[in-house]
């Protein structure tokens, strides 16, 4: 008697279908979606989210707000942290193992061994799942860029562009204007777009593209404003003012993300879900306090964050100022494709020491020695550690009162969360 292959085994086979991890074209996706009967045309209304930072947090808050308004949501995010299943939420629930395995096998058969990237074929699987289950909304997070991202095959009801900054320059371009143009590739004719806080150069590109497509924009600082006042979130647009709880997610950047969410809920006539968006959203590895697991003890405060570019470093540094003062030790592992010094620079003024580790299981990990060199270049004392556990043990011995922050990579965060969620 044969047994159904696990989703992990199917995913391993799918990894071998294309020699490149990233190859930004849409031809392969369109071919497979055609073979699958075009599930992308049978989705509940789509909200498509692009940007450099804040996409996942924004989607999490938007989902919480829509669910708080009594709606049912599909959601697709990437990358996953601990298990692939996190990427696909069908009608509010993480996809089950048997359903995921069946979907992946169906896509594998329809693809018939043709070249296709891992992200492309798994995106098609998510769209197929969403087309077959009832929901009120489909929330799609762009994987990389926007214009040529595998998710950019839909006709959305609303788009959102979160703050654009430098990241993935090898694929998206080496200027903020080029990167913004890729993000603006999700804009569709006459489909409204919520625009988060942007650098002037990025905003000009987005506005130019929107004008060409007759896209109505709701832009932060022009059409809507959000501030923190007296421990509350105050949102205001031409409709009026909303006084809300601060977001459950920590940091000033989360208040800006929350502003995009409230603007989106208003555009969807679902503003009555705004309070739920603030208080119910959960998004792992974004200034997450670890409460249980092998690294955690009663006398050690450990936080986890997966941000990995300079803008994320700045947001993390600001979020740390909201915690009670305490010595801070970083445990940092990053990929070699990232601007390590740029990420660490805003954190250097707050941290007492950095413990550099390799990202387990990642061939593209930056060697700890190079992380130490980057830390030294921004004035942050650093030393190498053989593992996160070794770094934690060393901090407990040498700085028992310190706050520990594990940071630098979503892949590192995922490795930690497998044992701490």
């Amino acid at each position: 008697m044969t047994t159904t292959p696990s989703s992990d085994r199917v995913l391993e086979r799918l990894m071998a279908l294309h020699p490149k991890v990233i190859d930004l074209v849409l031809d392969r996706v369109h071919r497979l979606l055609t073979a699958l009967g075009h599930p992308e045309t049978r989705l509940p209304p789509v909200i498509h989210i692009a940007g450099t930072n804040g996409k996942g947090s924004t989607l999490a808050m938007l989902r919480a707000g829509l669910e708080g308004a009594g709606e049912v949501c599909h959601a697709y995010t990437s990358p996953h942290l601990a298990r692939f299943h996190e990427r696909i939420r069908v009608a509010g629930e993480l996809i089950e193992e048997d359903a995921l395995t069946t979907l992946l096998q169906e896509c594998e058969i329809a693809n018939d061994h043709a070249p296709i990237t891992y992200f492309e074929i798994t995106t098609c699987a998510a769209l197929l799942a969403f087309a077959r289950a009832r929901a009120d909304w489909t929330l799609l997070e762009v994987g990389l860029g926007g214009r040529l991202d595998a998710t950019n095959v839909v006709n959305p009801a609303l788009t959102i562009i979160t703050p654009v900054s430098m990241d993935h320059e090898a694929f998206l371009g080496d200027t903020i204007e080029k990167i913004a143009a890729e993000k603006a590739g999700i804009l569709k004719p006459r489909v409204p777009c919520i625009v988060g806080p942007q650098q002037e150069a990025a905003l000009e590109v987005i506005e130019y593209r929107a004008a060409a497509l007759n896209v109505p924009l709701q832009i932060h600082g022009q059409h809507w404003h959000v501030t923190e006042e007296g421990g509350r979130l105050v949102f205001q647009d031409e409709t009026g003012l909303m006084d809300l709880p601060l977001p459950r997610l920590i940091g000033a950047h989360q208040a800006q993300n929350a502003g995009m969410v409230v603007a989106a809920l208003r555009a969807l006539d679902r503003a009555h879900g705004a309070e739920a968006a603030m208080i119910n959203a959960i998004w792992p590895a974004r200034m997450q306090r670890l409460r249980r697991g092998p690294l955690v003890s009663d006398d050690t405060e450990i936080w986890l964050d997966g941000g990995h570019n300079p803008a994320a470093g700045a947001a993390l540094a600001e979020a740390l100022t909201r915690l009670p003062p305490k010595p801070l030790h970083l445990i940092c592992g990053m990929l070699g494709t990232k601007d390590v010094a740029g990420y660490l620079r805003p954190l250097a003024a707050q941290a007492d020491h950095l413990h550099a580790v390799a990202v387990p299981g990642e061939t593209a990990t930056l060697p700890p020695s190079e992380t130490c060199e980057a830390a030294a270049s921004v004035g942050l004392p650093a030393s190498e550690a053989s593992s996160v556990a070794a770094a934690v043990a060393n901090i407990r011995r040498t700085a028992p009162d310190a706050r520990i922050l594990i940071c630098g990579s979503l892949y590192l965060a995922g490795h930690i969360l497998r044992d701490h969620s």
Side-chain angles (χ1 to χ4, degrees):
M1 178 179 176
T2 59
T3 58
T4 301
S6 72
S7 60
D8 286 346
R9 286 196 287 272
V10 183
L11 288 166
E12 286 174 8
R13 293 200 300 270
L14 300 182
M15 285 288 288
L17 290 174
H18 196 282
K20 292 183 180 180
V21 176
I22 298 172
D23 182 13
L24 296 178
V25 297
L26 288 175
D27 298 353
R28 295 179 297 269
V29 177
H30 285 303
R31 172 185 50 75
L32 180 53
L33 290 172
T34 298
L36 292 169
H38 289 291
E40 78 282 8
T41 65
R42 305 192 306 275
L43 301 173
V46 173
I47 303 168
H48 202 189
I49 304 174
T52 305
N53 292 299
K55 297 188 300 291
S57 299
T58 298
L59 187 148
M61 281 191 271
L62 183 56
R63 181 170 69 83
L66 290 170
E67 290 176 347
E71 311 276 53
V72 177
C73 298
H74 300 322
Y76 182 59
T77 59
S78 62
H80 62 277
L81 295 172
R83 300 173 70 230
F84 180 88
H85 305 62
E86 299 165 27
R87 298 184 181 215
I88 303 174
R89 190 175 287 271
V90 181
E93 301 295 334
L94 292 179
I95 192 167
E96 295 182 354
E97 168 64 18
D98 289 348
L100 176 60
T101 301
T102 300
L103 279 166
L104 292 172
Q105 289 176 316
E106 185 173 350
C107 290
E108 184 181 29
I109 292 167
N111 186 65
D112 194 24
H113 303 287
I116 193 165
T117 71
Y118 175 91
F119 184 72
E120 289 165 352
I121 196 167
T122 53
T123 297
C124 290
L127 298 179
L128 189 59
F130 298 158
R132 290 174 173 172
R134 195 205 73 78
D136 299 298
W137 301 97
T138 303
L139 310 183
L140 295 183
E141 178 191 355
V142 165
L144 179 63
R147 181 176 64 94
L148 295 175
D149 185 75
T151 62
N152 199 27
V153 293
V154 295
N155 292 310
L158 180 73
T159 61
I160 300 174
I161 300 180
T162 70
V164 175
S165 60
M166 300 300 293
D167 200 8
H168 299 294
E169 291 92 336
F171 303 103
L172 304 180
D174 57 2
T175 67
I176 196 70
E177 291 88 351
K178 291 177 182 177
I179 294 173
E182 293 299 316
K183 308 294 184 182
I186 70 165
L187 297 179
K188 300 295 186 295
R190 296 173 297 282
V191 174
C193 178
I194 308 299
V195 182
Q198 303 293 344
Q199 299 176 44
E200 184 177 348
L203 182 58
E204 287 179 358
V205 171
I206 295 167
E207 289 180 316
Y208 180 83
R209 179 63 178 164
L213 297 174
N214 197 24
V215 170
L217 297 179
Q218 285 287 314
I219 302 172
H220 169 265
Q222 296 183 28
H223 305 100
W224 58 271
H225 304 263
V226 63
T227 56
E228 294 183 44
E229 298 179 17
R232 302 281 292 178
L233 186 85
V234 178
F235 176 91
Q236 188 162 14
D237 63 8
E238 62 181 10
T239 307
L241 182 144
M242 293 186 73
D243 179 11
L244 298 162
L246 289 177
R248 178 176 179 174
L249 305 178
I250 298 173
H253 62 296
Q254 296 295 2
Q256 301 293 345
N257 293 340
M260 289 184 284
V261 169
V262 178
L265 290 171
R266 279 213 158 152
L268 299 169
D269 196 26
R270 301 294 189 277
H272 51 291
E275 184 160 336
M278 302 303 109
I279 63 178
N280 293 340
I282 298 173
W283 195 234
R286 276 68 172 184
M287 272 304 287
Q288 177 184 357
R289 175 82 181 266
L290 298 183
R291 300 288 184 180
R292 59 180 181 272
L295 295 178
V296 178
S297 67
D298 292 341
D299 58 349
T300 306
E301 180 184 334
I302 303 180
W303 294 78
L304 181 67
D305 190 88
H308 47 258
N309 56 40
L316 182 56
E318 188 284 330
L320 287 165
T321 66
R322 296 167 179 255
L323 301 177
K326 206 173 187 181
L328 174 66
H329 282 238
L330 307 180
I331 301 174
C332 183
M334 298 192 73
L335 300 186
T337 55
K338 301 302 178 183
D339 178 0
V340 184
Y343 170 77
L344 292 175
R345 187 169 289 110
L347 293 164
Q350 297 189 41
D352 294 83
H353 194 88
L354 180 144
H355 307 258
V357 298
V359 180
E362 292 297 324
T363 57
T365 186
L366 192 71
S369 59
E370 294 186 30
T371 304
C372 287
E373 291 173 8
S377 75
V378 298
L380 177 56
S383 58
E384 297 181 40
S386 59
S387 67
V388 172
V392 170
N394 183 59
I395 296 167
R396 284 192 176 124
R397 286 193 305 271
T398 59
D401 296 329
R403 171 178 293 129
I404 298 173
L405 172 63
I406 304 168
C407 61
S409 167
L410 280 172
Y411 296 99
L412 178 61
H415 176 77
I416 298 302
L417 285 177
R418 289 183 187 98
D419 296 322
H420 294 81
S421 57

